[in-house]
Amino acid sequence: MSIVLLGIESSCDDTSASILKDGVILSNCVANQEVHKLYGGVVPEVASRAHQVNIIPVVDQAIKKAGIQKSDITAVAFTRGPGLIGSLIVGVSFAKSFAMSLGIPIIEVNHMQAHVLAHFAEDPKPKFPFLCLTVSGGHTQIIKVKDHLTMEVLGETIDDAAGEAFDKTGKLLGLDYPAGPLIDKFAKEGKAVFDFPEPKIPELNFSFSGLKTSILYFLKKNIKEDPDFIKKNLNDICASVQDRIVSILITKLKRAAKETGIKEVAIAGGVSANSALRSTLTQTGEELDWNTYIPRFEFCTDNAAMIAVTGYYKYMMGEFAEQDVSPTARYSFSLRSKSDEG
Ligand code: KG4
Ligand code: ZN
C-alpha cells in the first residue's frame, strides 16, 4: 500500500499544505499573507486569523493538484513548533480534526528539523553526516545531521537571527517587510563599499544585534550630513550589509567543517534563498573541496513539503503523535522525540 502524507505548515505567516506519496512530492501549495507589509513585521493575531481563512482552501488545492482523493491520505504531518502560538494552533487543530475525521494517524514535526530535511524533497540529497547552516527569520543554527532524525546543534545565534538582521536593516532603510528578498535584489546593483564590523563571538555561535546597532549609527551619522543619503546609496548599503551577514555565516561554517572534518555542507531556511549566500557557499565549497547542497527556492522559505518529508521519515520509524498533542512556541532540539537522542 502507498504511503500518502498530507503535510501542514502554519508556524509564522505562510499557510502551506503538501501531498507526498511514497517519498515523492505531488504538490506544495503556499498562501502568503501580504497584510503584514502594512505593519513592517508579522502581527501574530493577524497571522492567526489569516491562517484560519487560508487553511481549508490551501489543503483543498494541495489535494486537487496532487490528483488524489482525500480518502487516499494515510497520515497527516504538521508543524508543532517552534513558531507563533496563535499560528501553530490553527495548523495543529486542523491537522488533528482532519485526521480524526478520516481515522488516520498524526505525526508532529519540529519546524527547524523540517528545514534541514527540505534537502530530502528531491535529488541530489546530502550524505550523512552533513553540516547544515539553518538560517531563517527566527533561527540561525549550525546543525550536525547524523541521520534523518538525529541532529545536533553545534552553534546558534545568541541574539537576532540572520533573517532578522536582514529584516531589521530593511526597516531602518524604509523597506517593506520581509526585507531579505529586497536587500538581495538591490545588492545586485551595488558594491560592498561600506565596512560594518564583524562580531567576535566564541566557538560556533553567532550574534547579529551589534551589526544592527552599527548600521543604525552609520545611517544616523550620514543622514545628518546628507538627508538623501539612503536614497542615493541604497544599492551600496544593501550590498555592504549583505556582504557582512554572508561573511559572518560562512566564517562559522568553515570553522564547523574544519572542527568536524565534515565536507558535506548544506544550507536551509528562508535566508538560504539569498543569492550572495548561495554563490559564496558554492565558491567556498569549490575552494575547500566540499560537496555543497542548496535547496530550490520553493523549499528554502516556509513550506509544507518539508513537513511532509519529515513526517515520512517519522512514519517509517512508527513515530506517531497522540490526539492530545499541543503546539509549542518554543520547540528546541532538546525536546526531541525518542529517535532523535544520541
Ligand atoms: O524560513 P522562513 O521562510 O521563515 C521563518 O521560519 O522564519 O524565513 C523567512 C526569512 C525572513 O527573515 C526573510 O527576510 C528571509 O527569510 N529571506 C531572505 C531572502 N528570502 C527570504 N533573506 C535574504 N535574502 C533573501 N533572498
Ligand atoms: Zn522557517
Side-chain angles (χ1 to χ4, degrees):
M1 197 187 82
S2 285
I3 300 170
V4 181
L5 291 186
L6 166 65
I8 304 278
E9 156 62 29
S10 73
S11 65
C12 190
D13 60 339
D14 295 321
T15 321
S16 180
S18 169
I19 298 289
L20 183 93
K21 186 176 179 183
D22 297 326
V24 177
I25 291 160
L26 299 185
S27 63
N28 181 36
C29 302
V30 185
N32 303 115
Q33 302 180 3
E34 299 294 323
V35 59
H36 303 287
K37 282 196 166 80
L38 294 172
Y39 306 100
V42 176
V43 183
E45 178 59 27
V46 174
S48 174
R49 283 167 194 269
H51 282 304
Q52 291 175 42
V53 173
N54 293 338
I55 192 133
I56 292 175
V58 168
V59 169
D60 277 348
Q61 197 192 355
I63 291 172
K64 209 166 170 187
K65 201 167 168 207
I68 61 151
Q69 302 298 316
K70 228 193 289 184
S71 54
D72 296 329
I73 299 170
T74 41
V76 183
F78 61 89
T79 304
R80 182 181 171 206
L84 300 170
I85 195 69
S87 292
L88 290 166
I89 285 172
V90 179
V92 175
S93 314
F94 178 88
K96 289 204 285 187
S97 35
F98 186 91
M100 190 183 253
S101 73
L102 292 175
I104 55 175
I106 50 172
I107 303 161
E108 54 110 335
V109 170
N110 180 305
H111 179 87
M112 296 314 294
Q113 195 169 34
H115 268 304
V116 175
L117 293 183
H119 284 283
F120 294 83
E122 53 188 11
D123 288 331
K125 301 178 174 85
K127 288 174 274 307
F128 300 115
F130 67 92
L131 294 176
C132 189
L133 170 71
T134 311
V135 270
S136 72
H139 294 82
T140 301
Q141 298 178 319
I142 295 181
I143 299 169
K144 182 176 169 186
V145 187
K146 297 172 188 171
D147 63 44
H148 294 111
L149 299 172
T150 314
M151 304 182 188
E152 183 190 347
V153 178
L154 302 181
E156 59 193 330
T157 183
I158 57 167
D159 44 54
D160 289 351
E164 273 178 295
F166 276 104
D167 297 336
K168 288 181 177 176
T169 302
K171 208 164 184 175
L172 295 174
L173 296 173
L175 303 177
D176 275 351
Y177 175 87
L182 293 172
I183 292 180
D184 191 351
K185 187 175 135 205
F186 295 133
K188 286 194 180 109
E189 309 297 322
K191 283 201 168 65
V193 292
F194 304 115
D195 189 28
F196 297 107
E198 181 155 7
K200 302 270 173 282
I201 305 298
E203 298 167 349
L204 295 172
N205 293 324
F206 302 90
S207 167
F208 290 99
S209 66
L211 177 64
K212 186 192 70 190
T213 311
S214 68
I215 295 166
L216 176 69
Y217 285 118
F218 165 82
L219 291 176
K220 270 192 175 163
K221 180 175 158 276
N222 284 288
I223 289 168
K224 216 172 173 181
E225 287 160 20
D226 177 2
D228 286 333
F229 178 76
I230 292 180
K231 213 161 124 198
K232 288 181 189 159
N233 296 280
L234 184 62
N235 295 342
D236 288 346
I237 300 170
C238 289
S240 308
V241 172
Q242 178 172 279
D243 193 64
R244 178 49 77 208
I245 294 173
V246 170
S247 87
I248 292 171
L249 295 172
I250 294 289
T251 300
K252 292 291 171 126
L253 201 47
K254 277 184 181 169
R255 183 168 167 174
K258 199 170 170 195
E259 285 179 8
T260 58
I262 296 173
K263 286 176 174 269
E264 293 280 300
V265 183
I267 53 173
V271 180
S272 61
N274 183 266
S275 55
L277 179 59
R278 294 165 88 92
S279 60
T280 311
L281 178 74
T282 305
Q283 201 187 325
T284 309
E286 280 164 12
E287 281 163 23
L288 299 177
D289 201 21
W290 296 348
N291 290 322
T292 54
Y293 300 88
I294 305 175
R296 262 200 297 135
F297 283 105
E298 148 175 32
F299 302 124
C300 288
T301 46
D302 288 348
N303 67 89
M306 67 183 193
I307 306 301
V309 169
T310 310
Y312 180 70
Y313 292 111
K314 290 189 130 184
Y315 187 104
M316 305 299 257
M317 300 294 291
E319 285 191 33
F320 299 105
E322 300 294 333
Q323 264 287 340
D324 64 359
V325 64
S326 52
T328 173
R330 292 184 179 276
Y331 191 3
S332 70
F333 279 77
S334 58
L335 262 175
R336 292 170 301 177
S337 53
K338 55 184 182 302
S339 72
D340 297 75
E341 287 161 14

